[in-house]
Amino acid sequence: MGGKREPFTRRQYLKGASTAAAAGLLAGCASPDSGDADATNANTNTPVDTSQMATLAPVGDVTFDEPPESAFVLFPQYADMAVALGCGDTVNSLYVPEMSGTTMNHYYERLDGVSFEWEGLPDPFGDGLSKEQLYNLDSDVHFLDPAYLVTQDNWSVGDIEDITTNVAPFFGNFYSGTHSQPPEQYRDAYEYYTLWEVFGHVADVFGERERAEALREVHDDLLATIEADLPPEEDRPTAVRVTYSDGNFYTYHLNKPGYWLADTRPLGAHDAFADEDWSSLWGTVGYETMLDADPDVILHLWGATPNYDMASVREQLRNSDAGGRLSALENDRVYASGMRYQGPLMNLFQLEMTAKQLYPETFGEWPDYQNGDHYPEIPADEQLFDRERVANIVTDGA
């Protein structure tokens, strides 16, 4: 690993914590109202205890004496969480940053004062997701599920304990995304959470639970708005969520459990492939199967990212005999959809987006979206959540 490491200065084992949950005493990311990291009590001139505990299965309890100053991130939901908590500048890595970071900023364009500086961040997968990489980044926390990590090449529980001991703790929950079964080593300690529950636990890491709860109120209001106006079940469209590539449709469910579906499940559309039980997290169908299902709406996953040109996707469908007969294509209802790896801010926009795509007569038409554009400007009276309120929470904690 490149020689001897320096003696512990910021990190040490916490008495009573399990090895998997052992955390460092970490220097921190200061929130706008947290004050100086070395604050003292003005009356006694003694240090103020700024430590806090965060809990998340499968890692358990992790104690931080200061909010992290640097955070390893793999999947972008955790980067979005950090931005939402006013700590986006702690993120030191990101999955395909030019895609994830650009997409996040496409949403943030509609939040005054909110942005994410992603350029120059390494892609952990690009460097092989190795122990050496985590040593070199020397992060204060790893927003990554150790249960997911042991499924990757050259990672074991022992490796995870090594990084936890010598670098920083892990803090992540991957399998709540689909409620799929975690690997056996972590199965007994596993719990499933909603996206917003995970966000609350991440907020505890940064000492920003109040800010997270304020954003959750916005989300709850948005859900209430949607649920109050949803058409009766018999009047809802059939839909699919797919990614199209070279004549194949990679298909995903709409209404199953898991935070990967946090932007489709609340909308309650009829999943055209609801009865399919795929052995993996998705299925693969061709044109004829898609035409047999012939959904009213096609939501193209990743379509709002720089990785897909929706004009090209629609053209390829038109140029196929079966694809050209799809009702969704004929009725201009093949839409760019967002990312599964969505954090709280992304989720707000993707819920609004999906509501308008599925129920334009109820929630207002989804504007024309051109590849590479920011999230469209929605007239104030057609917005389903208050952008100013969200921006104020993120930037000021208000």
Side-chain angles (χ1 to χ4, degrees):
M1 289 299 171
K4 294 176 66 177
R5 288 183 54 77
E6 293 294 321
F8 290 170
T9 54
R10 290 184 296 152
R11 303 181 178 98
Q12 63 184 41
Y13 272 124
L14 295 172
K15 218 169 186 181
S18 68
T19 302
L25 298 181
L26 308 176
C29 142
S31 62
D33 56 358
S34 66
D36 191 296
D38 297 317
T40 58
N41 186 302
N43 295 323
T44 64
N45 203 34
T46 57
V48 174
D49 182 6
T50 58
S51 65
Q52 66 263 343
M53 178 179 287
T55 302
L56 187 72
V59 297
D61 297 338
V62 183
T63 300
F64 300 85
D65 78 335
E66 298 289 346
E69 292 180 339
S70 60
F72 175 90
V73 166
L74 181 58
F75 297 114
Q77 65 263 32
Y78 294 105
D80 188 53
M81 291 178 190
V83 172
L85 297 169
C87 293
D89 60 354
T90 66
V91 175
N92 63 14
S93 59
L94 186 64
Y95 171 70
V96 194
E98 63 274 15
M99 178 194 72
S100 299
T102 298
T103 304
M104 291 163 63
N105 279 331
H106 282 335
Y107 295 126
Y108 303 159
E109 180 70 17
R110 303 305 169 208
L111 300 175
D112 189 34
V114 180
S115 64
F116 177 57
E117 297 295 330
W118 59 266
E119 293 189 34
L121 294 180
D123 180 349
F125 280 132
D127 291 332
L129 198 55
S130 66
K131 284 176 65 177
E132 183 176 13
Q133 179 189 49
L134 268 60
Y135 267 102
N136 289 338
L137 285 170
D138 196 29
S139 309
D140 291 333
V141 65
H142 301 104
F143 287 121
L144 176 60
D145 186 345
Y148 172 81
L149 192 51
V150 297
T151 69
Q152 304 302 296
D153 292 341
N154 302 317
W155 279 94
S156 68
V157 172
D159 294 323
I160 288 165
E161 291 173 351
D162 176 43
I163 294 295
T164 299
T165 301
N166 294 315
V167 185
F170 290 87
F171 200 85
N173 184 296
F174 178 80
Y175 295 95
S176 288
T178 57
H179 286 209
S180 53
Q181 187 157 264
E184 187 174 357
Q185 301 98 310
Y186 291 92
R187 204 164 291 165
D188 290 344
Y190 222 85
E191 295 180 35
Y192 295 122
Y193 303 94
T194 68
L195 169 64
W196 289 81
E197 287 170 342
V198 174
F199 178 45
H201 293 300
V202 169
D204 290 338
V205 172
F206 289 110
E208 289 287 356
R209 173 65 78 155
E210 192 171 321
R211 196 185 307 243
E213 291 300 330
L215 286 170
R216 185 165 185 164
E217 287 181 10
V218 177
H219 172 256
D220 291 347
D221 289 345
L222 172 56
L223 284 187
T225 296
I226 289 171
E227 291 166 359
D229 291 333
L230 278 179
E233 285 196 25
E234 61 271 19
D235 295 334
R236 299 177 191 177
T238 57
V240 294
R241 191 176 214 180
V242 305
T243 303
Y244 175 81
S245 179
D246 297 327
N248 291 311
F249 297 88
Y250 296 89
T251 55
Y252 307 83
H253 285 302
L254 296 179
N255 303 320
K256 299 285 187 182
Y259 61 67
W260 283 8
L261 308 179
D263 58 337
T264 58
R265 186 175 52 251
L267 278 305
H270 298 292
D271 184 349
F273 293 113
D275 295 333
E276 297 294 333
D277 185 17
W278 301 304
S279 57
S280 65
L281 301 180
W282 57 81
T284 308
V285 304
Y287 275 116
E288 293 299 334
T289 301
M290 184 62 71
L291 186 58
D292 286 343
D294 198 24
D296 299 312
V297 180
I298 295 176
L299 305 172
H300 192 286
L301 190 67
W302 312 104
T305 76
N307 282 31
Y308 282 90
D309 181 339
M310 288 304 298
S312 175
V313 168
R314 294 185 188 99
E315 188 62 26
Q316 291 177 65
L317 297 182
R318 288 190 189 95
N319 289 339
S320 161
D321 179 57
R325 290 182 283 140
L326 287 166
S327 297
L329 185 69
E330 292 176 347
N331 296 324
D332 295 324
R333 301 198 71 184
V334 178
Y335 296 113
S337 189
M339 296 175 66
R340 293 178 301 175
Y341 304 131
Q342 58 192 297
L345 301 180
M346 299 166 73
N347 180 237
L348 294 175
F349 284 104
Q350 291 187 182
L351 273 168
E352 180 182 76
M353 175 196 306
T354 310
K356 290 177 176 295
Q357 292 169 346
L358 291 172
Y359 307 106
E361 294 181 357
T362 302
F363 299 112
E365 293 277 350
W366 174 246
D368 183 42
Y369 171 82
Q370 299 299 324
N371 186 58
D373 283 356
H374 298 306
Y375 188 88
E377 288 199 67
I378 307 291
D381 61 347
E382 295 184 17
Q383 294 175 7
L384 302 187
F385 69 93
D386 186 337
R387 274 72 161 152
E388 184 177 359
R389 182 182 177 195
V390 171
N392 286 341
I393 294 169
V394 173
T395 58
D396 300 327

